Amino acid sequence: GPVTKSGIEMLLIGIENTEKVTVWQEETAAFIVDYFKKNPGVVYDVDVNVTIMFQTGTAAVESPFPRGPIRRKMQETSTPSVIITYVQTTTYKSKYPNSYVYDEDYIAVKPFEE
C-alpha cells in the first residue's frame, strides 16, 4: 500500500513563494516518477503524490556585520528563497521489499541528489 512521509523540506532559491501550488506539486511528483523510470534499478513502478503543507520565506542574508555598508550591500544583492514543507505519498515496488535502505526516505531524496 501507499506509504506517507511528512515534513519533507526543500529549499527553492530565486523565488519568494510558489504562487502556483498545484503546478509545483504536480511537477515535483512527475519529476520523482520520471527519475525512477529513467533510472530503473532496485526501486521501480514508483507513483508519487506531493502535497504542500506550508511555505516559509527565508532570511536572505545572515551577516556577521550587524549594520553598516557591507550589510546594506548584501541585502541589496541577496536572492529570495523559500522553504517548502510537504507530504509525499508513495507506492512502489522494490527488489528488496524488506530493506530499510530502499524505502520512502530513499524515494524522497534520491532524485534530488544528482
Side-chain angles (χ1 to χ4, degrees):
V3 288
T4 300
K5 179 155 179 66
S6 298
I8 302 170
E9 291 186 343
M10 181 180 293
L11 174 64
L12 304 177
I13 298 172
I15 63 170
E16 292 178 3
N17 62 54
T18 56
E19 293 175 359
K20 297 179 180 173
V21 171
T22 303
V23 172
W24 186 88
Q25 293 174 151
E26 290 170 355
E27 289 183 359
T28 301
F31 177 82
I32 296 166
V33 169
D34 191 54
Y35 173 85
F36 287 102
K37 281 183 182 174
K38 290 180 178 175
N39 299 283
V42 176
V43 174
Y44 57 98
D45 286 345
V46 175
D47 187 39
V48 173
N49 184 4
V50 171
T51 305
I52 290 179
M53 295 169 54
F54 53 89
Q55 313 178 46
T56 308
T58 63
V61 174
E62 288 187 23
S63 172
F65 307 101
R67 56 180 127 353
I70 294 173
R71 181 169 179 87
R72 279 195 298 278
K73 186 65 178 168
M74 288 177 72
Q75 288 172 333
E76 290 170 11
T77 60
S78 65
T79 303
S81 59
V82 63
I83 295 174
I84 305 295
T85 303
Y86 62 98
V87 174
Q88 181 172 311
T89 304
T90 308
T91 57
Y92 65 97
K93 293 179 183 170
S94 174
K95 290 182 182 175
Y96 307 105
N98 297 324
S99 170
Y100 292 107
V101 175
Y102 304 107
D103 60 4
E104 62 272 15
D105 293 331
Y106 173 82
I107 294 169
V109 173
K110 185 63 178 170
F112 303 101
E113 287 182 340
E114 299 175 12

